[in-house]
Amino acid sequence: MKPICYCLILVLLLLGSSACQEDTIQPDTFGSIFGEVLEAESNIGIADVKVSSTPPTSSVVTDAQGRFSFENIKAGTYSLRMEKDGYTSKLESVTVFADQTANVVILLSPDTMENTLPMPPMNLEPVNGATNQEVEVLLRWTAEDADADDRLSYDLKLYNADQSESMTLLTASTDTSYLLTDLEYNTVYFWQVTVYDGRGEAVNSPVWGFETQAFPDHRYLFVRQEAGQYNIYSSDRTGEPIRLTFNAGSSWRPRMSPLRDKIAYISNSSLEPQIFIMNRDGSENRQVTSIPISGYNNLELDFCWSPDGTQLVYMSNTKLYTIQPDGSGLHLLNEAPVGATFTECDWTAQGNFLLVRTTGQFAYQSYIYQMDAEGNYIALVQNDAPGGTGGPMYSIDGGTMLFTQDAAGFEAPDGRQLDARIYLRNLTSQITTDLSIEKPAGTNDLDARYSPDGAQIIFVNTNNDGISPRSIWVMDLDGENRTLLFENAEMPEWR
């Protein structure tokens, strides 16, 4: 029996060896292709011929002598396609062997079909030299080609006013229109279209131009909070508000200059809150202060322009400064009483006086003082009263002031108010009038400001829960005819 067992074992070993040999995986092998593309009649190399392969490897173009190469590609058979405008395309088959270079010469013949270049594109709108265009402009053009079978494509470029900078908006597109958005107001733009028929040279249109309209003469500025960030908007009673600020941080408390040509505001885009100035359309934005504007609650801070627009008055905790709009001339006007910080101020041309509000240790502790233009305290206009205080603002004639006060006398550490109302006080007689006679219960009236003619008041109304959206309203000087202007808006300015 033993000899039989030995033979059986030998047979099994041989079968196993054979099976292992059948499972061996052959590795990939690689080679190269070197080629030349020549003109069929002259045998001169043709430059800039596009050469592509199937199966795909990469796409190359021939050099000045018409040469090309594909390096380190898998061994196998490839179909090469040669393309160049003005020549008939051609396919050529080539086989690549392992560790070898396949050499191929391809002859291209000129395309004998006669080609007519397209006519230069013509613009449909806006017409060349158009003015008063919206900040969204639809560009439209057309082009004609005598060769009906040609498929036209277009490039579109936009240039700045002096044509020193350009932006490519379309490349090899079949569209014949393009909507320009987010254009600047009162700005000249130029544009040009290039047309291709796929067989000949590109054809350029003339350079056309248009000018956008001037920035609207809006009377209102306000702040809107979106996604946790504050930004400044410009608007009229009707129409879509225009966003003016696009800083990295929040921007708030806009104040129009007396000449209505500049807007000063607060922004924390440079980490600490600083005063910035921009044009009415939001352009030429720049930082004015280097010492930050700060106080008990930065969102409640309110600075002001001098009546002639040559200075700004702002607070940095216990110090009150004046500074020129270009950032020069920083001057310490005065310091707050012990234990207090400055919060709000206003300046009237009548007598050249200022009203300033200070905040004490708690948010509800407030005093309103009158100062002269040199920063000297003249009088205590409003003593600390129960509940939170806001304002003040002078009337046009300097004889009265607006301010807000929580009639509920609620004094919470976080400054919450339950029944903030707008009051008008005669600074001579000290007679005080409640203007919030139509205010809904459970809400606060805040941030009251006179209209430019002194006949109305713009203000904020919001639920007293402290978390509800705010809205901007206007009412007559006697507190009647409350009218909603803007929803989801606060910190109004009216010039």
Side-chain angles (χ1 to χ4, degrees):
M1 296 295 294
K2 287 183 179 180
I4 295 175
C5 291
Y6 291 144
C7 291
L8 180 58
I9 291 171
L10 181 60
V11 170
L12 292 174
L13 289 172
L14 292 172
L15 288 174
S17 174
S18 175
C20 291
Q21 291 177 354
E22 290 177 359
D23 290 340
T24 300
I25 299 175
Q26 296 296 325
D28 289 334
T29 56
F30 296 86
S32 303
I33 298 175
F34 175 81
E36 293 180 278
V37 181
L38 308 177
E39 222 174 44
E41 295 183 2
S42 64
N43 283 332
I44 296 175
I46 306 174
D48 299 322
V49 177
K50 180 181 177 182
V51 185
S52 56
S53 67
T54 305
T57 53
S58 60
S59 181
V60 299
V61 294
T62 58
D63 63 15
Q65 287 74 43
R67 298 172 298 189
F68 69 92
S69 64
F70 293 96
E71 302 288 344
N72 199 33
I73 59 176
K74 288 184 180 181
T77 299
Y78 292 85
S79 177
L80 302 183
R81 181 180 183 85
M82 270 61 62
E83 297 175 288
K84 182 175 181 176
D85 290 343
Y87 292 87
T88 303
S89 299
K90 190 170 185 179
L91 292 174
E92 188 81 15
S93 180
V94 59
T95 300
V96 177
F97 296 98
D99 301 321
Q100 296 185 28
T101 298
N103 293 283
V104 60
V105 175
I106 299 101
L107 301 179
L108 290 188
S109 299
D111 188 351
T112 57
M113 294 183 61
E114 186 176 351
N115 179 52
T116 302
L117 292 176
M119 296 293 291
M122 298 179 292
N123 76 314
L124 300 179
E125 62 177 308
V127 297
N128 187 35
T131 59
N132 199 34
Q133 298 297 294
E134 300 285 343
V135 290
E136 286 192 359
V137 174
L138 179 65
L139 305 180
R140 293 178 60 237
W141 62 90
T142 186
E144 297 181 357
D145 192 331
D147 301 323
D149 294 335
D150 285 353
R151 183 173 181 269
L152 302 182
S153 62
Y154 305 94
D155 293 348
L156 171 64
K157 283 190 175 182
L158 184 70
Y159 298 90
N160 61 349
D162 61 7
Q163 299 183 44
S164 61
E165 298 179 3
S166 67
M167 178 186 302
T168 300
L169 304 177
L170 292 176
T171 302
S173 173
T174 57
D175 294 336
T176 56
S177 65
Y178 186 88
L179 181 63
L180 291 172
T181 60
D182 298 326
L183 298 176
E184 300 288 340
Y185 286 95
N186 199 31
T187 301
V188 174
Y189 293 92
F190 293 97
W191 58 295
Q192 184 178 40
V193 177
T194 301
V195 60
Y196 303 86
D197 65 2
R199 295 198 293 156
E201 297 179 354
V203 179
N204 293 321
S205 74
V207 177
W208 303 304
F210 64 89
E211 184 175 5
T212 54
Q213 63 188 6
F215 191 81
D217 189 23
H218 290 161
R219 299 308 302 270
Y220 301 102
L221 298 171
F222 64 83
V223 171
R224 179 164 285 164
Q225 184 182 18
E226 298 164 313
Q229 181 171 306
Y230 293 91
N231 278 296
I232 298 171
Y233 286 79
S234 175
S235 186
D236 277 333
R237 290 197 179 194
T238 60
E240 188 69 20
I242 299 173
R243 180 174 166 180
L244 300 181
T245 54
F246 296 86
N247 297 330
S250 286
S251 301
W252 68 95
R253 199 63 68 183
R255 290 292 172 250
M256 185 79 77
S257 68
L259 297 178
R260 300 191 72 244
D261 60 341
K262 304 289 183 183
I263 300 170
Y265 66 97
I266 305 172
S267 177
N268 60 5
S269 59
S270 57
L271 297 183
E272 291 184 304
Q274 302 282 357
I275 293 180
F276 288 71
I277 286 181
M278 60 184 171
N279 294 334
R280 288 184 58 248
D281 61 1
S283 63
E284 297 185 15
N285 185 42
R286 55 186 173 81
Q287 182 175 326
V288 175
T289 58
S290 56
I291 297 176
I293 179 171
S294 58
Y296 188 91
N297 181 340
N298 287 340
L299 288 177
E300 287 190 0
L301 298 179
D302 196 355
F303 61 97
C304 67
W305 290 85
S306 63
D308 61 4
T310 62
Q311 297 181 83
L312 292 161
V313 180
Y314 81 102
M315 60 288 305
S316 186
N317 291 310
T318 62
K319 293 179 171 58
L320 192 67
Y321 291 101
T322 59
I323 192 170
Q324 295 177 16
D326 63 1
S328 65
L330 180 68
H331 171 68
L332 177 63
L333 197 61
N334 210 328
E335 297 194 28
V338 176
T341 59
F342 290 110
T343 303
E344 297 181 83
C345 60
D346 193 36
W347 194 340
T348 178
Q350 310 306 316
N352 210 19
F353 294 124
L354 289 94
L355 289 172
V356 296
R357 181 169 74 87
T358 63
T359 301
Q361 181 180 359
F362 300 102
Y364 51 78
Q365 294 177 327
S366 289
Y367 297 84
I368 299 177
Y369 298 91
Q370 191 173 43
M371 287 182 174
D372 62 24
E374 304 302 320
N376 301 306
Y377 288 99
I378 297 175
L380 176 62
V381 178
Q382 169 75 12
N383 207 339
D384 182 31
T389 304
M393 183 183 184
Y394 274 115
S395 60
I396 296 174
D397 62 7
T400 62
M401 76 168 183
L402 287 177
F403 68 101
T404 64
Q405 186 71 37
D406 185 2
F410 189 61
E411 296 189 338
D414 63 358
R416 180 181 176 183
Q417 302 181 65
L418 300 183
D419 187 19
R421 309 177 76 85
I422 299 171
Y423 294 92
L424 185 151
R425 175 171 296 171
N426 186 299
L427 294 175
T428 301
S429 68
Q430 297 299 306
I431 295 175
T432 302
T433 305
D434 181 0
L435 303 183
S436 294
I437 55 178
E438 296 181 356
K439 181 180 72 67
T443 67
N444 290 321
D445 283 347
L446 306 165
D447 279 342
R449 299 187 68 77
Y450 285 102
S451 64
D453 59 7
Q456 289 185 302
I457 294 171
I458 194 171
F459 62 97
V460 170
N461 180 260
T462 184
N463 191 285
N464 68 16
D465 60 10
I467 58 174
S468 295
R470 300 187 171 204
S471 54
I472 294 176
W473 296 68
V474 65
M475 64 181 175
D476 295 339
L477 201 58
D478 58 6
E480 296 185 350
N481 299 319
R482 291 169 69 106
T483 304
L484 176 65
L485 289 181
F486 308 106
E487 294 181 323
N488 183 27
E490 55 187 297
M491 305 184 194
E493 172 73 324
W494 189 358
R495 290 291 185 185

